[in-house]
Amino acid sequence: MATPPKIYPRSEHMISRSLISDNALKVLYRLKKSGFQAYLVGGCVRDLLLGREPKDFDVVTDARPEQIRAIFRNCRLIGRRFRLAHVHFGEEIVEVATFRGLSGGDEETGERVLENGRLLRDNVYGSIEEDAFRRDFTVNALYYNIADFSVVDYVGGMEDHRAAILRPIGDPEQRYREDPVRMLRAVRFAVKLGFTIHPESAEVIPRLAGLLREIPAARLYDEVVKLFLSGYAVQAFEQLRHYRLFEALFPDTEACLAQEPDGFPLTFLAKALERADQRIENAQPVAPYFLFAALLWEPVRMRTRERIAAGQNEILAYQEAAGEVIARQIRHTALPRSVGLPVRELWSLQPRFARAQGGRALRLLAHPRFRAAYDFLLLRAETGEAEPALADWWTRFQGASEAEQKAMLRAGKRSSGRSRPRKRRSGAKAVKDAATSPP
Ligand code: ATP
Ligand code: MG
């Protein structure tokens, strides 16, 4: 270290202050006026250099948390080990961190703790240079200096940014081992920015992908949500599979996909992700539970089929398969209850579409999860797994007037061959049905 940084003066980069939020600017100027250094860093600088409006702004400074608090009235300190300041402006929060050291403490006294190459704690203050080297990718370690509007670069991030390359700082394998989540971040940023993961650092990923299994499942859940709600879910999925990261996150799903490489399950999931991307493009919300329902649908279907073949009734088979799949999945990506419950509801409504006669159809329509379950049914129909006539019936039914609905219910037919009498068939015929018409 101790190499001087490259400084890109205001005339050599295209960061426009008009894309920086007023509140972030206020924080930067106030720190500067109080005699401290103040920079924007991380994702916001990366995005500003692309001319994009960042979603949030991270500030770093040489001021200590207590000093930051003394400057801003609207400030709260958060974090136990590494304290950060949150400066509140109504809805907007500007996060202000003190430069963090790389190895400022003694590794043996626990300031920076490594276990099998993994970083467990990292909580010492440091210089701006140290702060730069502990970051993950070169393009994430650029500092926008409010004192002269220059960009300060210790790691070659500006050149990589111009070449659209995502490159870990330092030795890729070591950096991924320290924190395997960086492999997921590499994929996320690559697809979001349209950057290429530097070949030498890309090539080690498949070999190290399994390290994700040691990461707390709650953290992986958060990363997965970010990956698939990025607006680039289709690409993220392809890249995750390419790097064998997907199988570390969703082993049951991967096992199903691997069995039918060009078949239906891949199409269904790809369609679901495509739909999510479209919705984000149109500024419509995408619920994480819908994503997880799609991501885990194939294992649920497979287990349901097995249970039905073994003689279990359809509704129960779905319920138990769903419980089993979720119980296995939470060891990898811990779905919060607020997600796990609607996922199960959405699945459990699927077999009900084909069985809803009379009052049941109206109850299904009034179910709080009807809309999502119906969207899910449409996807299944589009990809050949459910009968298009069934999806059509429900499309018409929900758009119909009360009188029309009554007429539709009297006519009875949900779709060809699926409006079965209540009494279920049993024995060989049921098994055959289960095999030919997937649940
Ligand atoms: P996003 O647009 O998703 O917010 P970001 O780059 O700002 O992207 P954050 O997770 O907000 O990502 O992190 C802010 C910065 O903190 C990063 O740019 C990077 O410099 C650093 N950072 C975050 N996570 C890690 C990590 N796991 N290892 C090293 N540095 C990290
Ligand atoms: Mg960020």
Side-chain angles (χ1 to χ4, degrees):
M1 275 201 250
T3 40
K6 280 205 181 132
I7 309 279
Y8 295 85
R10 190 182 190 175
S11 56
E12 285 177 36
H13 64 75
M14 49 170 264
I15 291 184
S16 151
R17 258 168 295 157
S18 67
L19 288 178
I20 304 175
S21 87
D22 291 345
N23 294 326
L25 284 172
K26 256 185 233 162
V27 169
L28 290 164
Y29 285 129
R30 186 92 69 88
L31 283 164
K32 183 184 153 222
K33 233 179 80 191
S34 309
F36 295 107
Q37 299 174 42
Y39 301 84
L40 288 178
V41 69
C44 60
V45 178
R46 189 192 66 212
D47 292 348
L48 286 167
L49 285 169
L50 290 170
R52 298 191 190 179
E53 193 172 341
K55 63 173 165 45
D56 46 35
F57 293 88
D58 293 327
V59 172
V60 278
T61 175
D62 57 348
R64 295 298 165 99
E66 295 69 27
Q67 295 174 309
I68 302 169
R69 185 166 52 189
I71 299 175
F72 299 99
R73 257 183 314 136
N74 47 337
C75 173
R76 226 177 269 158
L77 298 189
I78 60 148
R80 278 172 302 140
R81 288 222 177 86
F82 191 83
R83 303 231 283 166
L84 297 170
H86 275 181
V87 186
H88 290 253
F89 299 90
E91 290 273 279
E92 191 183 2
I93 295 175
V94 178
E95 190 171 291
V96 186
T98 308
F99 294 136
R100 220 193 265 200
L102 187 63
S103 54
D106 182 338
E107 297 200 356
E108 290 184 4
T109 62
E111 291 287 19
R112 181 168 188 267
V113 184
L114 284 168
E115 189 184 281
N116 303 325
R118 177 113 44 84
L119 211 49
L120 298 180
R121 282 208 303 278
D122 187 6
N123 59 342
V124 283
Y125 301 123
S127 64
I128 179 173
E129 183 175 9
E130 289 171 319
D131 190 88
F133 279 93
R134 57 159 278 279
R135 292 177 184 273
D136 48 4
F137 300 99
T138 61
V139 296
N140 280 349
L142 294 169
Y143 295 76
Y144 176 73
N145 188 354
I146 201 63
D148 59 5
F149 312 119
S150 65
V151 171
V152 181
D153 179 7
Y154 285 91
V155 296
M158 201 68 153
E159 280 170 24
D160 284 341
H161 196 284
R162 286 177 177 157
I165 287 175
L166 202 70
R167 184 201 311 261
I169 299 169
D171 176 61
E173 175 156 354
Q174 185 194 335
R175 299 310 307 280
Y176 293 143
R177 283 189 182 278
E178 272 175 13
D179 180 4
V181 170
R182 288 173 185 153
M183 295 186 279
L184 298 178
R185 290 171 59 86
V187 167
R188 177 156 63 90
F189 295 135
V191 300
K192 175 174 148 184
L193 306 169
F195 282 20
T196 308
I197 303 176
H198 187 264
E200 273 162 41
S201 69
E203 136 190 316
V204 299
I205 297 180
R207 183 163 51 82
L208 302 176
L211 295 174
L212 283 178
R213 294 179 192 253
E214 291 158 35
I215 299 298
R219 186 168 174 218
L220 291 183
Y221 170 82
D222 291 341
E223 282 301 322
V224 164
V225 169
K226 283 188 204 159
L227 272 159
F228 288 109
L229 293 183
S230 61
Y232 305 90
V234 173
Q235 289 177 58
F237 173 60
E238 281 163 8
Q239 296 264 311
L240 289 176
R241 287 198 81 207
H242 173 78
Y243 289 115
R244 312 195 61 168
L245 293 161
F246 189 76
E247 66 186 65
L249 297 168
F250 293 93
D252 289 349
T253 308
E254 177 59 38
C256 294
L257 298 179
Q259 275 172 23
E260 296 174 66
D262 307 309
F264 147 75
L266 203 54
T267 329
F268 172 80
L269 190 47
K271 263 269 181 296
L273 298 175
E274 207 179 293
R275 188 65 45 86
D277 288 346
Q278 277 164 7
R279 286 182 64 93
I280 288 172
E281 169 101 36
N282 301 334
Q284 293 169 292
V286 179
Y289 76 79
F290 195 89
L291 275 173
F292 276 87
L295 281 160
L296 297 170
W297 176 236
E298 197 47 32
V300 168
R301 246 167 47 89
M302 197 189 77
R303 280 161 199 271
T304 303
R305 259 193 320 247
E306 287 167 5
R307 286 172 176 278
I308 291 175
Q312 205 169 42
N313 92 50
E314 195 187 22
I315 299 283
L316 199 64
Y318 265 103
Q319 263 171 25
E320 294 190 354
E324 213 181 308
V325 168
I326 298 247
R328 290 169 60 86
Q329 184 61 31
I330 56 175
R331 293 181 298 169
H332 305 285
T333 61
L335 282 70
R337 270 176 71 81
S338 62
V339 173
L341 287 177
V343 166
R344 296 188 60 157
E345 275 181 318
L346 199 156
W347 288 336
S348 73
L349 293 183
Q350 296 308 309
R352 293 178 203 266
F353 282 113
R355 323 175 133 246
Q357 331 275 287
R360 282 198 198 168
L362 291 167
R363 277 200 297 280
L364 189 52
L365 195 57
H367 193 285
R369 219 56 79 183
F370 171 81
R371 184 66 216 192
Y374 162 76
D375 284 344
F376 202 80
L377 173 69
L378 287 185
L379 277 173
R380 293 174 54 219
E382 260 176 60
T383 51
E385 185 225 320
E387 284 185 52
L390 180 65
D392 284 349
W393 191 92
W394 281 97
T395 305
R396 280 184 289 117
F397 187 67
Q398 58 181 306
S401 68
E402 220 171 286
E404 287 165 339
Q405 287 181 342
K406 279 198 181 123
M408 285 177 80
L409 289 173
R410 268 198 307 276
K413 281 250 180 264
R414 192 70 69 258
S415 66
S416 53
R418 291 294 286 187
S419 83
R420 292 188 273 180
R422 274 200 192 176
K423 209 164 150 251
R424 277 179 296 279
R425 285 162 292 188
S426 59
K429 177 110 178 49
V431 172
K432 183 171 159 287
D433 273 0
T436 52
S437 64

